[in-house]
């Protein structure tokens, strides 16, 4: 078992909150590690944050593998989690294993896959073959077209009951973590109380064992696209724009580079 995963499981038992942030390259992963993040997620959100896509569906396994290899170079302490991108795991458990093996060889400690009950067989297959899995339920961005958009999930009693059922089925199949996205806080807290594995929330209230946000949302680098539940800790877009404008002005004015 990964030492980094064991730290998360120990934190769950001791009631300590854990932190996760996305990163897609070496500089940001290095900063996340230096800041003391407990985990770095190489998410398929890179399609939206890095490539400017409207959703995550175009991200390939090869792209994810490349970004994992870069991030893993910068991270020595935190857990490195990698998303299985759309189309890389749904066809069969064997396909999921082949994709997961590539991501672990690239440097990931754990893979994350989206979906509830239909993914139970796949999670069991991976778990029996030494692949640590984080299950992702609630709002699953890879299903955005089926869901009709990035909509909050688990709002009705039936929908909430289904998510609880999915969480138990996935962990019984071997999932070592459960990420819950955009579901009611009370529901996320209840699922967290019922599960023995660590839970991670994003837009799911304060009752989960850990929290994850997208790096670019935290730093304010894509302010026009940030979800309502994200908190901006820095006006990064303004700071970068100002610095670049100053550089351009100095070049055009002849003050950079200095003479001699």
């Amino acid at each position: 078992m990964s030492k980094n995963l064991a730290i998360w499981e120990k934190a769950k038992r001791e009631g300590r909150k854990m932190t996760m942030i996305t990163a897609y390259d070496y500089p940001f992963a290095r900063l996340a590690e230096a800041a003391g993040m407990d985990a770095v997620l190489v998410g398929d959100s890179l399609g939206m944050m890095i490539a400017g896509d409207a959703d995550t569906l175009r991200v390939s396994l090869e792209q994810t593998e490349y970004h994992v290899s870069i991030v893993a170079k910068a991270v020595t302490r935190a857990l490195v989690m990698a998303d299985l991108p759309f189309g890389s795991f749904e066809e069969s458990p064997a396909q999921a294993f082949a994709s997961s093996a590539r991501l672990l060889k690239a440097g990931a400690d754990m893979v994350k896959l989206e979906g509830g009950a239909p993914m139970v067989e796949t999670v069991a297959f991976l778990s029996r073959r030494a692949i640590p899995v984080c299950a992702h339920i609630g709002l699953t961005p890879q299903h955005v077209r089926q869901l009709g958009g990035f909509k909050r999930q688990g709002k009705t009693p039936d929908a909430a009951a289904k998510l609880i059922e999915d969480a138990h089925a996935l962990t019984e199949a071997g999932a070592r973590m459960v990420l819950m996205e955009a579901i009611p806080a009370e529901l996320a807290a209840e699922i967290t109380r019922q599960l023995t594995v660590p839970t991670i929330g994003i837009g799911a209230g304060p009752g989960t064992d850990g929290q994850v946000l997208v790096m670019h949302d935290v730093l304010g680098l894509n302010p026009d696209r940030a979800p309502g539940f994200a908190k901006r800790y820095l006006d990064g877009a303004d700071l970068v724009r100002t610095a670049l404008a100053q550089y351009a002005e100095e070049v055009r004015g002849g003050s950079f580079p200095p003479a001699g």
Side-chain angles (χ1 to χ4, degrees):
M1 178 175 64
S2 165
K3 176 183 177 183
N4 296 334
L5 178 54
I7 291 171
W8 276 76
E9 292 172 338
K10 186 171 186 287
K12 166 82 173 184
R13 295 192 298 271
E14 296 176 353
R16 288 186 287 110
K17 297 288 188 177
M18 300 292 276
T19 60
M20 178 184 291
I21 195 79
T22 65
Y24 318 105
D25 59 25
Y26 182 88
F28 277 125
R30 189 178 180 188
L31 289 170
E33 172 94 345
M37 290 292 163
D38 298 303
V40 175
L41 170 64
V42 184
D44 57 5
S45 51
L46 70 89
M48 301 175 73
M49 298 299 109
I50 304 301
D53 293 338
D55 53 41
T56 65
L57 301 182
R58 291 181 58 205
V59 175
S60 69
L61 179 62
E62 290 73 22
Q63 289 170 327
T64 304
E65 187 177 20
Y66 171 73
H67 285 277
V68 168
S69 70
I70 294 172
V71 167
K73 293 176 186 177
V75 176
T76 59
R77 178 194 51 79
L79 180 143
V80 177
M81 184 183 294
D83 272 342
L84 285 168
F86 179 71
S88 72
F89 66 96
E90 299 92 336
E91 184 177 341
S92 68
Q95 182 202 28
F97 175 80
S99 299
S100 299
R102 287 176 59 173
L103 296 181
L104 263 62
K105 288 178 180 179
D109 296 305
M110 177 177 241
V111 298
K112 178 168 70 67
L113 59 79
E114 296 184 11
M119 287 296 109
V120 167
E121 180 185 356
T122 296
V123 169
F125 188 92
L126 296 179
S127 298
R128 290 194 298 266
R129 289 161 177 80
I131 305 289
V133 177
C134 174
H136 182 157
I137 61 175
L139 171 58
T140 46
Q142 291 173 12
H143 300 83
V144 64
R145 294 176 188 173
Q146 183 183 43
L147 297 173
F150 295 95
K151 298 179 179 180
R152 198 162 186 80
Q153 302 296 305
K155 295 188 294 183
T156 68
D158 286 347
K162 181 64 168 59
L163 286 175
I164 293 173
E165 180 181 328
D166 285 348
H168 280 287
L170 290 161
T171 55
E172 288 167 8
R176 306 292 291 274
M177 288 188 191
V178 175
L179 185 148
M180 297 175 281
E181 180 171 357
I183 68 173
E186 299 82 2
L187 175 59
E190 179 58 30
I191 292 174
T192 298
R193 284 191 291 269
Q194 292 187 22
L195 298 184
T196 58
V197 304
T199 63
I200 308 161
I202 177 167
T208 54
D209 298 311
Q211 296 289 332
V212 61
L213 282 176
V214 170
M215 175 81 75
H216 292 61
D217 294 339
V218 169
L219 300 182
L221 294 173
N222 283 318
D224 297 334
R225 302 184 69 176
F229 55 72
K231 180 175 179 179
R232 187 191 309 177
Y233 288 82
L234 184 73
D235 289 324
D238 288 340
L239 290 172
V240 172
R241 189 184 304 110
T242 298
L244 294 176
Q246 183 178 350
Y247 161 64
E249 181 181 352
E250 290 183 3
V251 170
R252 292 171 184 139
S255 62
F256 180 86

